[in-house]
Amino acid sequence: MAGLLVFGYGNPSRGDDALGPLFLEALQERLASSPGGDIEFLQDFQLQIEHALDLAGRDRVLFVDAHVGCPPPFRFERLVPRRDGSYTTHAVSPQALLEVYRRLNRGEPPPAYLLSIRGERFGLGDALSREAESNLESALRFAEALIRKTTGTGWDSLPSGPDQKYGFSLA
């Protein structure tokens, strides 16, 4: 079992909602040549409570999703377990999934983070918008640098937001 789980989710048929799955595919390609990659990639249309089982035994988890409410190009944040109403729906929030993990295992989930990529259009059959393509590229560069150059709790010290300095070059 890999230490890092990167979990991209979204519906590829709904325009910019495809950002999570597209991110995952592109990141896998970019990191394929990296030696010693202790990373597992997981993709689905949405989070469900059963995904709490995928978190067991991980050192860290990175959730990746499209969001219309975050500033462009993306937002990176540490997650904490939180019970909300989503655990009874088809679209569980990552915070609620962490809370499900906590209750199932009677212990704390692995450190988890959310990379929200700004999307603009989410209509059924919409193509990926140009803005979303640009935001995706920025998020990929950030994630590559994050995974390659920071370890362990170093992720917690990173400021959130695209205008912040990350302590390493995104070039």
Side-chain angles (χ1 to χ4, degrees):
M1 176 172 296
L4 173 60
L5 174 66
V6 181
F7 193 153
Y9 53 99
N11 185 339
S13 299
R14 291 198 162 271
D16 295 349
D17 200 34
L19 283 166
L22 290 172
F23 173 91
L24 203 69
E25 292 168 13
L27 187 64
Q28 281 180 283
E29 286 181 23
R30 291 178 183 207
L31 297 177
S33 63
S34 298
D38 187 26
I39 305 170
E40 184 175 335
F41 298 92
L42 182 62
Q43 177 183 331
D44 211 328
F45 275 53
Q46 57 198 12
L47 297 177
Q48 300 181 26
I49 60 171
E50 293 84 356
H51 289 125
L53 301 174
D54 296 311
L55 309 182
R58 308 294 182 174
D59 297 328
R60 288 177 286 170
V61 178
L62 176 61
F63 294 100
V64 184
D65 192 16
H67 281 263
V68 71
C70 75
F74 63 85
R75 180 178 55 220
F76 177 73
E77 61 189 307
R78 172 81 188 258
L79 298 172
V80 294
R82 185 183 70 224
R83 184 176 180 175
D84 60 30
S86 71
Y87 74 96
T88 61
T89 70
H90 295 292
V92 177
S93 72
Q95 295 89 344
L97 188 65
L98 297 174
E99 181 62 26
V100 169
Y101 177 96
R102 179 191 271 172
R103 290 175 180 262
L104 283 174
N105 296 290
R106 297 184 181 165
E108 291 302 311
Y113 305 83
L114 176 61
L115 181 59
S116 302
I117 306 172
R118 171 73 182 214
E120 304 294 333
R121 296 188 319 222
F122 294 83
L124 186 62
D126 282 350
L128 194 68
S129 69
R130 276 191 286 159
E131 295 88 355
E133 278 185 50
S134 175
N135 296 341
L136 174 61
E137 180 56 33
S138 295
L140 282 164
R141 288 183 19 229
F142 170 76
E144 276 186 276
L146 178 73
I147 290 169
R148 290 177 193 232
K149 297 182 181 178
T150 58
T151 60
T153 58
W155 288 25
D156 290 332
S157 63
L158 295 173
S160 176
D163 298 327
Q164 303 295 320
K165 298 204 181 300
Y166 299 105
F168 49 80
S169 171
L170 293 177

